[in-house]
C-alpha cells in the first residue's frame, strides 16, 4: 500500500529535527530531562550568565552553580564555583548550603534542536572537571533536554 504524497510529507515533517548555532538568548531558561525513578538532569541558564546544573539520582541530588559562556557557537562552558549534595529529591534549594569549589568546569558540545515544534537542547560532554579531577561519569554521552 502506498501512502499519498501529502501524508508522506506530513510524516517526514513531524520527525524532522533542525539544528543551528547557539546564541545566548537561545538557551536562557530551564531545560530538563527526567527518567522514571527520579533520575535525570536540569540546567538553568539565566540572562546574567549564571547557570545552575542539577543532577537527580533517585533519592539524592547534586547541584552545581557557576557562570556560563560560549567557547564557540557550538560549545558551552560552565565555570563551576559552588556545589552541594542533597539527601532527598524534592524542593531543591538552589540558594544556600553550597561549598566553594576550585578548578571546576563543564564543557559541552551543544545544539538547539526543534523536534515536533518543541525546542530541545542537546548536550554532549567534552570535559567535566571538579576540583581539578576528571569527573566524566556525572553525565551521559548525549543529553537531550526539553525546555520547560
Amino acid at each position: 500500500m502506498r501512502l499519498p504524497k501529502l501524508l508522506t510529507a506530513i510524516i517526514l515533517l513531524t520527525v524532522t529535527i533542525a539544528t543551528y548555532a547557539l546564541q545566548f538568548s537561545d538557551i536562557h531558561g530551564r531545560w530538563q530531562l527526567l527518567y522514571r525513578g527520579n533520575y535525570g538532569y536540569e540546567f538553568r541558564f539565566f540572562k546574567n550568565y549564571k547557570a545552575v546544573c542539577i543532577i537527580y539520582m533517585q533519592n539524592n541530588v547534586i547541584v552545581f552553580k557557576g557562570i556560563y559562556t560560549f567557547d564557540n557557537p557550538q560549545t558551552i562552558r560552565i565555570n563551576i564555583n559552588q556545589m552541594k549534595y542533597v539527601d532527598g529529591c524534592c524542593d531543591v534549594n538552589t540558594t544556600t548550603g553550597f561549598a566553594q569549589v576550585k578548578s571546576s568546569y563543564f564543557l559541552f558540545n551543544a545544539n538547539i534542536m526543534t523536534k515536533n515544534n518543541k525546542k530541545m537542547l542537546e548536550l554532549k560532554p567534552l570535559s567535566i572537571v571538579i576540583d581539578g579531577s576528571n569527573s566524566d561519569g556525572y553525565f551521559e554521552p548525549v543529553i537531550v533536554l526539553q525546555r520547560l
Side-chain angles (χ1 to χ4, degrees):
M1 179 175 124
R2 290 184 50 138
L3 294 173
K5 288 182 181 179
L6 179 58
L7 183 58
T8 303
I10 291 171
I11 291 170
L12 289 175
L13 181 62
T14 59
V15 297
T16 300
I17 299 173
T19 62
Y20 54 89
L22 291 176
Q23 298 178 5
F24 282 103
S25 60
D26 292 328
I27 66 166
H28 294 158
R30 289 176 59 190
W31 301 85
Q32 190 175 67
L33 170 63
L34 286 180
Y35 297 110
R36 203 176 327 171
N38 201 38
Y39 290 95
Y41 308 94
E42 182 175 334
F43 287 81
R44 300 175 187 177
F45 296 101
F46 299 95
K47 291 180 181 180
N48 61 0
Y49 304 104
K50 291 184 180 179
V52 175
C53 172
I54 303 170
I55 302 175
Y56 297 95
M57 300 180 299
Q58 196 171 23
N59 295 322
N60 303 304
V61 177
I62 300 178
V63 183
F64 299 93
K65 291 173 69 173
I67 305 296
Y68 71 94
T69 189
F70 289 106
D71 281 359
N72 64 54
Q74 300 300 137
T75 306
I76 295 176
R77 180 185 182 96
I78 304 174
N79 292 311
I80 304 298
N81 54 30
Q82 297 179 4
M83 72 177 282
K84 75 175 177 178
Y85 181 84
V86 179
D87 286 325
C89 61
C90 302
D91 298 325
V92 177
N93 178 343
T94 59
T95 56
T96 61
F98 286 86
Q100 297 294 315
V101 293
K102 297 179 182 175
S103 303
S104 302
Y105 65 90
F106 300 160
L107 191 63
F108 296 99
N109 181 302
N111 287 302
I112 294 286
M113 304 182 309
T114 303
K115 183 177 180 183
N116 297 331
N117 291 327
K118 294 181 182 177
K119 284 200 174 188
M120 311 290 278
L121 176 61
E122 179 187 74
L123 299 177
K124 295 178 182 176
L126 300 173
S127 181
I128 306 299
V129 175
I130 300 172
D131 275 336
S133 299
N134 183 331
S135 301
D136 288 337
Y138 276 100
F139 297 99
E140 298 175 31
V142 177
I143 304 165
V144 180
L145 305 128
Q146 185 173 349
R147 176 173 263 160
L148 297 180

